[in-house]
Amino acid sequence: MTLHLTLGTRGSKLALAQSGMVADRLRKLGAEVELQRISTRGDQQRDLAFQQIGAPGVFVRELEAALERGDVDLVVHSFKDLPSVSPAGLEVAAIPGRRDAADLLMIRPEAHVEIGTGEGSSSSLPLADGATVGTASARRAALLGDLRPDLEVAHLRGNVPTRLDKLRSGDYDAIVLAAAGLDRLGDTLEDFTTDDLVSHRLDPAVFTPAPSQGALAIQVRVPVSEADRRIFDHVKRIDDDDARRVVQAERRLQALIEGGCQTAFGAWCRPGGGGQLIMDAALGGRGPLRRTSGAGPEPLELAERLSAELLAGASA
């Protein structure tokens, strides 16, 4: 018997691109999938800072509520939007293969300078002195300030095409976006291009990404019925073990730090040789940005160790 699935998704171009990719994979495994758009509070209040609309969870609450009610069978999130703990009765059944976790600087050509010239040349940010960079992320703002104190960081929210339009109009000299989002949009939208802008990938070991950036979370109901069990088992088939391990380490560290949209916190974990995981982390707040890194085979143990180092630095 064919499995019929209703997939809940936000309505932005990026969310629809991501959900469409997940739907295609589930269809190849034999399911029939239709998408249902759901508007979230974060989508409805795009001009407000995250702390003004009750972050974290501003892009997921309505999706989760629809899943809990049974209006949809599964929902697809950008994993970095999810709070550290899912509501009781919901579970992330699959994390597909992760895209590039790095951030990108998208720069107006007139604000771009080659690294090695100008007063700011000692940094890894190829921006003219005093350039204005748009972001709504506390993490990105802290990292920009740490690397280039001369930069002006200005508030910027909106979906990816909206932010790019504001950059092109001259409201900002540069903006920071997730590499994975641009990749997914470029894969799915024929008219999507950034050829008129300079793109610079930021080294994730230095410009530490948000925990689970580049990963998707496919959330379902915890199985309590045969129907829910069929959904869970079908979705679980597209889970990627490597992606799950590194995201587990990053999000455990996030939970220990209590980092969210309002906290200047980043973590980047990746597989090393011999079953090892390598993780870099950064934490802002009062005083200088604190950084740490480490390696180990167990995601949770590695997160525990790095959290102790970061928090010890915070209290020093």
Side-chain angles (χ1 to χ4, degrees):
M1 183 172 62
T2 302
L3 182 63
H4 299 268
L5 299 174
T6 301
L7 186 159
T9 177
R10 293 169 58 200
S12 71
K13 289 183 178 180
L14 177 56
L16 291 170
Q18 293 175 164
S19 295
M21 292 175 180
V22 170
D24 286 344
R25 291 194 62 184
L26 295 174
R27 289 179 186 125
K28 288 178 181 178
L29 294 172
E32 292 184 358
V33 186
E34 64 171 321
L35 270 57
Q36 179 173 314
R37 300 187 191 189
I38 299 170
S39 179
T40 70
R41 190 177 181 193
D43 297 314
Q44 297 159 9
Q45 298 178 309
R46 294 179 181 174
D47 294 331
L48 298 179
F50 291 125
Q51 57 267 32
Q52 294 177 279
I53 53 176
V58 297
F59 295 116
V60 307
R61 292 191 188 110
E62 289 79 5
L63 291 167
E64 291 180 329
L67 185 56
E68 289 172 323
R69 291 192 303 267
D71 297 344
V72 297
D73 300 308
L74 67 155
V75 292
V76 175
H77 306 283
S78 292
F79 212 147
K80 67 177 182 176
D81 291 339
L82 272 182
S84 299
V85 180
S86 289
L90 302 184
E91 182 175 352
V92 175
I95 306 170
R98 188 182 195 179
R99 294 282 185 104
D100 187 2
D103 281 317
L104 296 179
L105 263 181
M106 303 303 298
I107 310 167
R108 288 170 56 85
E110 55 268 35
H112 176 251
V113 297
E114 295 294 337
I115 294 177
T117 62
E119 295 180 10
S121 62
S122 61
S123 80
S124 58
L125 305 182
L127 293 169
D129 298 335
T132 298
V133 184
T135 181
S137 161
R139 171 188 61 85
R140 288 168 173 163
L143 289 165
L144 289 166
D146 181 63
L147 293 171
R148 286 283 299 274
D150 65 291
L151 298 176
E152 180 180 347
V153 179
H155 179 75
L156 171 64
R157 279 199 60 210
N159 60 37
V160 172
T162 296
R163 282 181 276 171
L164 288 169
D165 286 345
K166 290 182 178 181
L167 174 62
R168 291 186 175 102
S169 70
D171 294 353
Y172 308 89
D173 296 309
I175 63 175
V176 188
L177 298 173
L182 290 184
D183 285 347
R184 291 183 177 118
L185 283 171
D187 286 347
T188 57
L189 301 180
E190 292 183 2
D191 60 346
F192 182 79
T193 180
T194 56
D195 292 346
D196 56 325
L197 302 170
V198 178
S199 174
H200 178 79
R201 183 180 183 271
L202 297 166
D203 181 355
V206 177
F207 204 92
T208 321
S212 60
Q213 183 162 296
L216 299 180
I218 308 176
Q219 198 175 38
V220 300
R221 290 179 292 276
V222 175
V224 293
S225 67
E226 182 59 31
D228 284 347
R229 171 54 63 184
R230 288 191 69 205
I231 295 168
F232 181 94
D233 289 345
H234 194 85
V235 170
K236 185 69 176 176
R237 295 170 67 186
I238 64 173
D239 189 54
D240 183 274
D241 186 62
D242 284 341
R244 184 170 285 275
R245 289 186 75 222
V246 297
V247 166
Q248 183 182 35
E250 293 170 4
R251 290 182 65 82
R252 177 57 180 163
L253 181 54
Q254 179 181 24
L256 292 168
I257 298 296
E258 297 183 348
C261 294
Q262 302 174 63
T263 303
F265 170 70
W268 178 50
C269 187
R270 62 274 191 200
Q276 293 285 302
L277 298 174
I278 303 167
M279 185 154 62
D280 297 291
L283 178 63
R286 297 178 182 176
L289 189 77
R290 297 177 294 281
R291 298 179 182 271
T292 190
S293 61
E298 297 298 330
L300 299 184
E301 186 278 331
L302 179 58
E304 297 274 354
R305 179 154 40 92
L306 267 59
S307 73
E309 295 173 5
L310 283 174
L311 294 174
S315 61

